[in-house]
Amino acid sequence: IYDYYSFSMMNEAGDQPFNGKFFPAQGAGTIARHIPYMIAWRIPYLAVWDNDTEGRMEKGKAESFFGPLEAKRFDLLPLHGKQRSRLLQDLFDNSEWLAAKKELEFAASVSFEKVVLALWFVENRTSFLKRLFPKTIETFTKFLKAQNERANFW
């Protein structure tokens, strides 16, 4: 669900670079379970997995099951620099993340999930995000724009 919150918030704050729908999942292993609904309801979608061992494995399973045409809608988070893996958390700029935790009055050790949930429900969310997360919004926007450009089904 935190992928849904994160992508939705950053898409909104980045002035809607993504035209598709965000559908929440509960971990890499559950993403493929939602794909038949997207197909049946003719909802334009993109399935995105973390670019780690589990994400690559689950994406591979989905590609095998759904075939090469549907697999054009599947992606991994892009690696940056010399990264060997990339999680959703890695899309957030660390200094912005720490500043947001401080402003939200969270301890430095609070979980990613608790902060994302707090951001989802913060008052005046879009202006809050634009003020505290300009680099993060840019990162998400770049990724989401690239997905629109490569997809021919929206």
Side-chain angles (χ1 to χ4, degrees):
I1 190 92
Y2 301 100
D3 53 348
Y4 169 80
Y5 291 145
S6 298
F7 280 111
S8 295
M9 288 187 297
M10 294 303 166
N11 193 53
E12 180 182 288
D15 299 322
Q16 309 289 333
F18 182 69
N19 298 325
K21 304 289 184 201
F22 299 103
F23 197 88
Q26 295 174 306
T30 68
I31 293 172
R33 293 182 203 159
H34 301 298
I35 294 169
Y37 298 110
M38 302 297 122
I39 294 168
W41 297 332
R42 297 177 186 226
I43 295 173
Y45 77 93
L46 177 67
V48 179
W49 286 265
D50 283 343
N51 199 338
D52 62 357
T53 302
E54 182 183 13
R56 290 187 287 269
M57 182 181 70
E58 293 299 332
K59 178 181 178 272
K61 286 181 189 177
E63 289 169 337
S64 294
F65 184 81
F66 290 102
L69 293 178
E70 199 65 34
K72 290 179 181 180
R73 298 179 181 196
F74 304 165
D75 206 352
L76 296 167
L77 292 177
L79 297 176
H80 183 68
K82 295 182 179 184
Q83 287 179 321
R84 292 190 125 135
S85 67
R86 194 168 198 192
L87 306 175
L88 175 65
Q89 294 89 316
D90 299 330
L91 295 178
F92 287 85
D93 178 81
N94 192 51
S95 62
E96 293 173 349
W97 187 253
L98 294 173
K101 281 184 175 184
K102 185 175 181 178
E103 185 145 337
L104 293 167
E105 300 180 355
F106 280 125
S109 62
V110 73
S111 72
F112 171 79
E113 293 81 6
K114 284 187 179 184
V115 176
V116 168
L117 195 58
L119 292 171
W120 182 256
F121 290 105
V122 74
E123 194 171 323
N124 300 313
R125 179 176 65 219
T126 299
S127 60
F128 184 88
L129 292 171
K130 285 184 177 190
R131 181 170 54 85
L132 285 174
F133 288 98
K135 292 176 188 172
T136 298
I137 291 168
E138 185 178 325
T139 300
F140 273 86
T141 297
K142 182 179 176 183
F143 174 72
L144 294 170
K145 279 184 178 178
Q147 300 317 309
N148 270 349
E149 290 170 8
R150 78 173 185 85
N152 61 5
F153 50 89
W154 288 307

